[in-house]
Structure formats: structure tokens, C-alpha cells
Amino acid sequence: MTTERDDIQHLAKFRREIRRFLQFSEQAAAATGLQPQQHQLLLQIAGAPNGTQVTIGYIAEVMVLRHHTVVELSKRCEAADLVRRTHDPDDRRCVVLELTAQGQRALHQLSDVHSQQLRELAPSLILALTQIRNSKP
Amino acid sequence: MTTERDDIQHLAKFRREIRRFLQFSEQAAAATGLQPQQHQLLLQIAGAPNGTQVTIGYIAEVMVLRHHTVVELSKRCEAADLVRRTHDPDDRRCVVLELTAQGQRALHQLSDVHSQQLRELAPSLILALTQIRNSKP
DNA sequence: ATAGATATATCGTAACACGATATTATTTCG
DNA sequence: CGAAATAATATCGTGTTACGATATATCTAT
């Protein structure tokens, strides 16, 4: 019972840390004039493993969203001149997503502050994870 | 430039891991008949540090929400018989939040699967964090 | 007792993700 | 080859949710 309570406190602490990070991230995105999800889209486009074709479907998978949600998100980003949408000439069903110059600028700016923030938060996140991992299975 | 690209890939990987965990969490909550935020409320009520008065304001702070959002969330949880809302007799402005028996059951059930899932995801999360932390400042 | 501070509550609104459904392009196979 | 099946993206309507603005209740200090 005592370990149960400890476990729950550890889980709660982990979620507080995550939430604080996400809140930071949302504010950083807003400060750059982006919606949080727009930032995530840019990040997943630019941060895909080398050689990946970045399509709607790929993004839907890695962001764990329905594809039509990604359609809408990518269109909002296109309208904001952050993302370019082109049809793959080899399979014209597929839409390939790339960053515009402005999208790259925004992402690099955001990535800098995120790296820095994560370097600060990493120790307590790792600690929380370690505590959870060491709880009785 | 190469390090920049690596950094972005590491950040993207970290976000993918986080997103996968959150997705798991949302589905687990849904399987128990809870909204994701309802689960978070239960967790932060039960997982507050020992001796904490769990009020609307406290939850607003740790969940990084406006207090009126917590009012609404806690009322939905009250309606679902997961949470009890009582006025602190010493300061009747404050609302104290506690779990009902049913809220405790749901939370324990969810905590079990979350602990297990986090034990699985912890290594790659820690790896991603470590890679970010080791990137050039 | 009253002004100001603190904590919670109410109301209207906008963003977002989803289900259901549709459209366009490619592949399969009879 | 051409129709049916499959795959990828697109459109539309909807419900939830968090928010800003504002209101109410309670406490504190003078």
C-alpha cells in the first residue's frame, strides 16, 4: 500500500514535469507566432530520419493523429507560409511536405530554446523515470 | 550545420516518444471510461506531496491550467462520481478535492498500466533526453 | 465595518481533433 | 485491357475543452 502511494506520487511528478515542458513549448511557439501543433509539424518534417519521404501519412503516424487532422494542420501551415505541399511525381496520391525558408527560420529558433530548456529539465525527468522504473513490477 | 540537423532529429525523436506515451495514456483512460484530463486530475489529487491541501488553485498550478478550467474539470469529475468537492471549513473560499472510492479504483487501475508502460518506454525516453543534453550548448 | 485581496464560479467563444464520407490515383487480376 | 480493390488525401459537420472576461463569495487588515 505504501509502495502504491509512492508509485502514484512518482507518476504524478513525472506528469507535472511533462506538463511543465509542454507548457513551455506552447508558450515558446506562441512567442514565435505559431500554434503548438504547427511547431510540432515543422519539427517532425525537419526531424524525420534521413531519407524519409515526409507525407501526410508519415506525419499522421509519428504525431499519432488521424490523417485528415494532418491535412488540416498542413494546410494551415501552408497558409502561414511555413510549409510547402507538393505532390510526389512518382505517386501523385502522396503529398510531400517541406519547410519554407520561413518555416526553417521559425523551427531553428524554437529548437534552440527547446534544447536549452530540455537540458535544464532533463535531470528531473530522468529522475522521475528512474523512480518509476525501479518501483516493484 | 550537421549538428543542427542532429539536434532537430533528437528533439523530434523525443517528441515522438512523448506523443506515443500520451497516446497510450489517452487510450488507457478511455478504456476505463475517463477523459484524459479526468485521469490527470485524479492523478494529481492522489499524487500530491504528503500533507498538501489539494485545492482548485493547487491543481491549476501543477496542471498548468487556469483555475476556471479546473473548476469545470472538477465538476465533470464530481458528476461522474470520481471526485468529491468540499469546502475547507477553515477557509470556506477554498474547495478541497478528494477521490471517491470509484475514483480511487479507476486511478489505481490506470496507474498499474502506466507504470508498466513507462518501464517499457523509459529507456528510449532517457536516451533521447541524454542525446539532447549532450548536444553542443 | 469596509476596502482590498484571494478563491472559486459562470458564460460565451474559438481552436482542434475526430467520425463519416468523398475524391483522386494506383495496383491487381480475371 | 478494364473493372474492382486498395491507398492517400480531402471535405464537412460535431463535440469537447481551455480560454478571456466577468461575477460572486469569503477572508484580512485596519
Side-chain angles (χ1 to χ4, degrees):
Chain A
M1 278 302 137
T2 298
T3 46
E4 284 279 350
R5 165 181 279 216
D6 283 358
D7 284 358
I8 287 180
Q9 287 182 347
H10 291 148
L11 285 170
K13 177 153 167 286
F14 177 65
R15 292 304 280 253
R16 288 197 293 270
E17 302 286 347
I18 293 279
R19 193 66 194 89
R20 265 174 51 201
F21 168 66
L22 293 176
Q23 163 67 8
F24 164 85
S25 182
E26 287 167 21
Q27 286 200 331
T32 315
L34 302 196
Q35 299 290 337
Q37 288 294 73
Q38 294 182 335
H39 169 214
Q40 290 311 298
L41 178 60
L42 301 189
L43 179 60
Q44 294 304 333
I45 291 173
N50 296 335
T52 308
Q53 266 276 75
V54 179
T55 63
I56 300 282
Y58 168 78
I59 293 293
E61 183 174 327
V62 300
M63 289 182 68
V64 197
L65 293 171
R66 302 291 163 176
H67 61 273
H68 53 265
T69 302
V70 180
V71 170
E72 288 161 359
L73 177 58
S74 65
K75 288 198 159 187
R76 276 179 256 134
C77 284
E78 187 182 42
D81 192 30
L82 297 165
V83 161
R84 213 173 7 252
R85 294 159 42 90
T86 56
H87 284 272
D88 180 351
D90 293 344
D91 184 343
R92 297 176 41 72
R93 292 174 300 181
C94 299
V95 169
V96 177
L97 302 174
E98 296 167 303
L99 299 197
T100 63
Q102 192 185 333
Q104 288 188 25
R105 264 197 307 279
L107 178 61
H108 279 274
Q109 190 176 330
L110 284 167
S111 296
D112 286 348
V113 294
H114 276 73
S115 293
Q116 187 182 345
Q117 175 77 356
L118 274 174
R119 272 186 231 109
E120 284 179 26
L121 293 185
S124 45
L125 276 167
I126 290 176
L127 175 60
L129 280 166
T130 306
Q131 287 173 329
I132 292 167
R133 203 176 45 179
N134 292 343
S135 62
K136 76 166 195 306
Chain B
M1 278 301 140
T2 299
T3 46
E4 284 278 350
R5 165 181 279 217
D6 283 358
D7 284 0
I8 287 180
Q9 288 183 346
H10 291 149
L11 286 170
K13 177 152 167 287
F14 177 65
R15 291 306 280 252
R16 289 196 293 270
E17 301 286 347
I18 292 279
R19 191 68 194 86
R20 266 175 49 203
F21 167 67
L22 293 177
Q23 163 67 8
F24 163 85
S25 181
E26 286 166 24
Q27 286 201 331
T32 314
L34 303 196
Q35 300 290 338
Q37 287 295 72
Q38 294 183 334
H39 170 213
Q40 290 312 298
L41 177 60
L42 301 188
L43 179 60
Q44 294 305 332
I45 291 173
N50 296 337
T52 307
Q53 265 277 73
V54 178
T55 63
I56 300 283
Y58 168 78
I59 293 293
E61 183 175 328
V62 298
M63 289 182 69
V64 197
L65 294 171
R66 303 291 163 174
H67 62 273
H68 52 264
T69 302
V70 180
V71 170
E72 288 160 359
L73 177 58
S74 65
K75 287 198 159 190
R76 277 179 256 134
C77 284
E78 188 181 41
D81 192 30
L82 297 166
V83 161
R84 211 173 9 252
R85 295 161 40 91
T86 56
H87 284 272
D88 180 352
D90 293 343
D91 184 344
R92 298 176 41 72
R93 293 174 300 182
C94 298
V95 168
V96 177
L97 302 174
E98 295 167 303
L99 300 197
T100 63
Q102 191 185 332
Q104 288 188 25
R105 265 197 305 278
L107 178 60
H108 280 272
Q109 191 175 329
L110 284 168
S111 297
D112 286 348
V113 294
H114 276 73
S115 293
Q116 188 182 345
Q117 175 77 356
L118 275 173
R119 270 185 232 111
E120 283 179 26
L121 293 184
S124 45
L125 277 167
I126 290 176
L127 174 60
L129 280 166
T130 307
Q131 287 172 331
I132 292 167
R133 203 177 44 181
N134 291 343
S135 62
K136 75 163 198 307

